[in-house]
Amino acid sequence: MESLNEFFIQYGYLGMALAAFLAGTFVPFSSEAVMGALLVTTGMDPWITIISGTVGNVAGTMFNYFIGRIWDVNKISKIMRIKEEKLLGTKRYVERKGSWIATFSFLPIVGSAIAIALGMLRANAWGVMLYSFIGKFVRYIMVAFSALALFV
């Protein structure tokens, strides 16, 4: 994992966006570690780093959304190794909440499931993008300034 973090750090803002994209998909990855390392070791602008991370992470969420939109439940369950019952339960929960639930797509593990379920429900893509942007932007602000406060 260390060399992968170094790869993302080497590419600065683009590396931040790529790390955040991966973390936004169903791939288990910590973009927060990359953001903290970038801000603490390179002196990069925190706001540009936050925007880079947010845009990349939202793109990852939309990737999950479109997987939910185009794949059927069986394929999602098989490829992502998520039990169908869990997937359908998340879908029912998300259906009751609506697109605004995408605000919480930054949460580990359940965030990917939320985005996939929104895709399965064919929720408004623009709404999903907007709400996920809000949640992820706020989270990255907290991550960035926490890292700076603790280590700089």
Side-chain angles (χ1 to χ4, degrees):
M1 179 78 114
E2 190 62 38
S3 62
L4 190 56
N5 282 342
E6 289 172 10
F7 170 81
F8 291 120
I9 291 166
Q10 177 182 0
Y11 287 95
Y13 300 118
L14 178 60
M16 181 66 237
L18 290 172
F21 173 81
L22 273 180
T25 67
F26 55 87
V27 175
F29 189 75
S30 174
S31 60
E32 296 85 359
V34 173
M35 177 175 275
L38 282 168
L39 292 173
V40 170
T41 63
T42 67
M44 288 173 41
D45 181 272
W47 290 106
I48 298 172
T49 307
I50 290 165
I51 295 294
S52 298
T54 302
V55 168
N57 210 246
V58 170
T61 294
M62 296 311 293
F63 179 83
N64 287 341
Y65 169 87
F66 285 110
I67 283 175
R69 195 165 174 116
I70 61 175
W71 288 357
D72 63 27
V73 174
N74 291 333
K75 188 172 187 177
I76 294 168
S77 177
K78 184 183 269 184
I79 292 174
M80 300 179 130
R81 300 176 196 254
I82 303 171
K83 292 181 181 174
E84 276 191 50
E85 309 86 57
K86 187 119 176 140
L87 197 54
L88 293 172
T90 302
K91 180 182 172 191
R92 284 189 296 277
Y93 178 79
V94 169
E95 189 171 30
R96 290 192 307 268
K97 301 299 179 186
S99 293
W100 72 269
I101 197 74
T103 307
F104 299 100
S105 63
F106 68 86
L107 294 171
I109 302 167
V110 298
S112 293
I114 289 170
I116 291 167
L118 286 164
M120 291 168 65
L121 292 166
R122 305 228 181 306
N124 181 290
W126 294 107
V128 171
M129 193 181 313
L130 173 66
Y131 287 119
S132 66
F133 184 91
I134 292 167
K136 291 163 187 287
F137 184 67
V138 170
R139 184 209 45 201
Y140 278 129
I141 288 172
M142 293 189 305
V143 168
F145 289 104
S146 294
L148 290 171
L150 289 171
F151 300 107
V152 175

